[in-house]
Amino acid sequence: FHHRIKTLGLSLLCLNRSAAFVATKPSLHRQYLPVRTGVIYRKMSTSDIIPGRPTWQQTMLRIKNPEKSISFYTDLLGFTLIDKLDFPQWEFSLYFLTTLPEGEKYELTPGTQEAHDYLWSIDGVALELTHNYGTEDDAEFSYHTGNKEKDGFGHIAVNTDDVYAMSAKLEAAGCSFKKKPDEGRMKGLAFVYDPDGYWVEVVKRSEDAKIPNECNFSQTMLRVKDPKKSLAFYKKMGMKLLEERHFSDFSLYFLGSSVVEDDSKVKDLFQPVLELTHNHGTESEDSFKHFTGNEDGKKGFGHIGFLVDDVYKACDGIREMGYGFQKEPDGGSMKGLAFALDPDGYWVEIVKRGGLDFGDKKVE
């Protein structure tokens, strides 16, 4: 029972966890790995951004067994565990991993105040893994990893120079695949399952990338109903539309955080991008909604998050967009932390740059 109520990461401290069930029409085009062509590059204006210098800072996934998940991401995909927040009083822990430049040594101890200070000031994007105590001992327990009918969350991804070599390494380590590089219509692209069954896309970098890392954290994919509304929202959050790819029945939009150059090419980037997938026609269906990963029976993906200089001023700017909040900055017991809603109802965490006292048990 405990794993049903303690699955919201930091939001457990402060959010009403009521779930809204939605009835939607299946729209799964993106799941079948269509050929991707027709790249268009765009520059974005830096005007009309919410106050506080927003930067994309995290993608949160709920996990069953942190030992297995952390080993997968660090030992096989080259992530570094940069911090953890332990909440024994609420029986859950948060683990934050990211890709650091090759050769950069991370000497801070996760769980210390020094590691917290680093985490809440990074310009990069971390993968937040949320573990609710006891799930690892429940043989029947699993999270909903997306890619079923009506699901919004699709996958995360890593870029690499050689998809075939990387896939061979993962296969030798015992990993299972949704798609190996030579399967399906799209050759040279793979989808490997992480220990919880989340899809991790393995993508070839561009020849011009010149990134020495074997892998780098490269994307989070969400399906959206109306790209005009979603793009306007995330541009207000400081994100930059770097590429569009249009096909007969779906389109892909790739957004970089505010810290990347306007003319960056997606496959050259060390930083991750947010991939928004639009299946054509959903914007015209009034009743259409995606599951966002926080509904009962659908919990897996939790949210993305942004750092800002002032949560209250940032939320004033977000409030003007009219999509509402799961948690206002002064809602609940955790003051100064917010969860906004984007046009599809995805939760968007708003955290003060530099962090705040979350009440975790720190490592001394």
Side-chain angles (χ1 to χ4, degrees):
F1 173 74
H2 71 280
H3 59 253
R4 292 176 59 86
I5 63 173
K6 294 195 297 297
T7 54
L8 308 184
L10 288 178
S11 54
L12 173 66
L13 307 179
C14 46
L15 295 184
N16 182 332
R17 295 179 295 278
S18 61
F21 287 87
V22 293
T24 63
K25 180 179 178 180
S27 190
L28 305 179
H29 308 300
R30 178 60 184 88
Q31 297 171 20
Y32 293 102
L33 313 174
V35 176
R36 301 175 178 185
T37 58
V39 177
I40 304 173
Y41 294 98
R42 300 290 188 198
K43 288 188 177 182
M44 81 164 262
S45 169
T46 56
S47 63
D48 199 31
I49 295 172
I50 65 165
R53 196 168 57 88
T55 56
W56 180 28
Q57 190 257 353
Q58 63 177 256
T59 291
M60 189 275 263
L61 302 176
R62 301 174 177 94
I63 60 167
K64 176 176 180 175
N65 187 317
E67 182 177 348
K68 291 182 179 179
S69 294
I70 292 171
S71 176
F72 173 83
Y73 285 104
T74 59
D75 296 342
L76 297 179
L77 298 184
F79 284 64
T80 298
L81 176 64
I82 58 173
D83 201 9
K84 67 173 182 175
L85 280 74
D86 292 323
F87 299 93
Q89 68 273 41
W90 293 294
E91 298 185 330
F92 75 94
S93 293
L94 311 177
Y95 300 87
F96 293 86
L97 303 91
T98 196
T99 308
L100 298 176
E102 186 73 14
E104 180 175 319
K105 292 184 178 181
Y106 188 73
E107 298 180 344
L108 301 178
T109 300
T112 61
Q113 185 60 53
E114 291 77 13
H116 291 3
D117 293 342
Y118 178 89
L119 170 67
W120 302 117
S121 62
I122 60 173
D123 282 338
V125 182
L127 180 64
E128 175 187 351
L129 303 179
T130 295
H131 171 236
N132 294 297
Y133 298 174
T135 53
E136 69 277 19
D137 298 321
D138 184 348
E140 302 301 317
F141 181 82
S142 65
Y143 281 113
H144 185 77
T145 58
N147 297 303
K148 303 296 183 183
E149 290 186 2
K150 310 172 188 177
D151 285 339
F153 174 72
H155 60 261
I156 61 171
V158 294
N159 285 1
T160 189
D161 288 335
D162 188 332
V163 173
Y164 291 88
M166 191 67 225
S167 297
K169 172 184 172 179
L170 293 168
E171 186 172 16
C175 297
S176 299
F177 286 78
K178 172 67 180 177
K179 176 194 177 301
K180 293 182 179 180
D182 274 340
E183 295 176 343
R185 291 181 297 170
M186 178 61 76
K187 308 304 181 185
L189 176 74
F191 280 84
V192 64
Y193 291 117
D194 88 344
D196 285 277
Y198 293 110
W199 295 13
V200 180
E201 188 175 15
V202 184
V203 183
K204 180 176 173 57
R205 297 186 186 112
S206 100
E207 298 294 340
D208 298 326
K210 295 181 174 59
I211 296 172
N213 298 61
E214 183 177 35
C215 288
N216 61 288
F217 184 23
S218 63
Q219 66 179 241
T220 296
M221 190 276 263
L222 300 176
R223 300 178 180 91
V224 299
K225 175 179 179 175
D226 186 333
K228 290 183 179 179
K229 292 180 179 179
S230 296
L231 290 172
F233 178 91
Y234 285 106
K235 286 180 180 181
K236 287 278 286 186
M237 300 300 297
M239 301 196 80
K240 303 176 181 181
L241 179 58
L242 303 177
E243 295 183 20
E244 305 173 25
R245 302 178 187 179
H246 299 284
F247 308 87
S248 60
D249 56 357
F250 73 96
S251 295
L252 307 177
Y253 302 86
F254 297 86
L255 296 100
S257 184
S258 57
V259 300
V260 305
E261 297 295 329
D262 289 352
D263 58 353
S264 298
K265 295 182 179 180
V266 169
K267 291 188 178 182
D268 289 354
L269 281 173
F270 187 75
Q271 295 268 25
V273 295
L274 181 64
E275 176 187 353
L276 302 181
T277 296
H278 171 232
N279 293 307
H280 298 167
T282 55
E283 71 281 9
S284 302
E285 300 179 34
D286 291 342
S287 63
F288 183 88
K289 293 182 180 178
H290 287 111
F291 289 117
T292 63
N294 289 304
E295 299 87 358
D296 284 344
K298 293 285 186 178
K299 290 185 173 69
F301 167 77
H303 60 261
I304 63 172
F306 288 76
L307 295 181
V308 297
D309 292 335
D310 186 312
V311 170
Y312 292 89
K313 290 181 179 179
C315 288
D316 287 342
I318 294 170
R319 194 173 294 107
E320 292 176 358
M321 290 189 274
Y323 299 110
F325 286 79
Q326 180 67 27
K327 178 198 175 298
E328 290 272 4
D330 278 338
S333 60
M334 178 62 70
K335 309 302 181 185
L337 174 75
F339 280 82
L341 299 174
D342 86 346
D344 286 274
Y346 293 115
W347 294 11
V348 180
E349 188 175 19
I350 310 299
V351 183
K352 178 178 171 56
R353 186 170 284 106
L356 63 155
D357 186 357
F358 293 107
D360 60 300
K361 182 178 179 182
K362 296 179 180 62
V363 174
E364 300 299 333

